[in-house]
Amino acid sequence: LNSKKILILSLFRFILFPRLFKIIMTLIFSRKNYSVGMAFVMCLILSNLRPTLFGFDLNEKMNSRSHYYQKPGKPGKFHDLKLEHKILEILKNKNFLKII
């Protein structure tokens, strides 16, 4: 799974969606990649599939995220999970995916 390649392909796929295009450009210029989960979701969308995501909280406070067995940690330096949540929200609103 080549996250950078998927990032570039998604940039061209959403060129007609200015807000989405701008967020993807922000990821590229800040030298960030998609997380593995986001890359997989984008692969599905780029393949003209409409995935249904279960258990996603797009309103999650990224600074206080944790697991029941771990203390909260800093999100990875190679990903921007806040921007990924914005992308998912836009994709949901544009009916490219469904979140339950």
Side-chain angles (χ1 to χ4, degrees):
L1 204 59
N2 185 333
S3 179
K4 190 59 85 177
K5 183 176 179 180
I6 296 166
L7 189 62
I8 299 299
L9 288 173
S10 62
L11 178 71
F12 290 113
R13 169 64 176 91
F14 297 110
I15 200 165
L16 298 177
F17 298 87
R19 189 167 170 225
L20 198 50
F21 184 82
K22 181 181 174 190
I23 294 171
I24 296 170
M25 285 295 290
T26 301
L27 286 172
I28 291 170
F29 283 120
S30 62
R31 296 180 174 217
K32 303 283 185 172
N33 293 316
Y34 286 139
S35 62
V36 172
M38 186 67 186
F40 183 71
V41 168
M42 287 307 260
C43 277
L44 293 172
I45 292 171
L46 292 170
S47 299
N48 294 319
L49 297 171
R50 184 176 175 244
T52 299
L53 308 180
F54 296 89
F56 276 74
D57 181 6
L58 297 180
N59 298 315
E60 175 184 19
K61 290 185 170 67
M62 301 309 290
N63 294 333
S64 62
R65 60 194 314 252
S66 67
H67 301 288
Y68 66 92
Y69 59 90
Q70 291 177 326
K71 292 182 181 179
K74 183 179 176 185
K77 63 181 177 179
F78 301 108
H79 312 295
D80 189 327
L81 300 181
K82 288 181 184 179
L83 288 181
E84 287 186 9
H85 279 197
K86 286 182 183 179
I87 291 170
L88 288 172
E89 183 67 36
I90 294 168
L91 291 171
K92 178 183 142 202
N93 292 339
K94 299 286 185 190
N95 210 28
F96 283 102
L97 59 84
K98 188 174 180 180
I99 299 177
I100 295 178

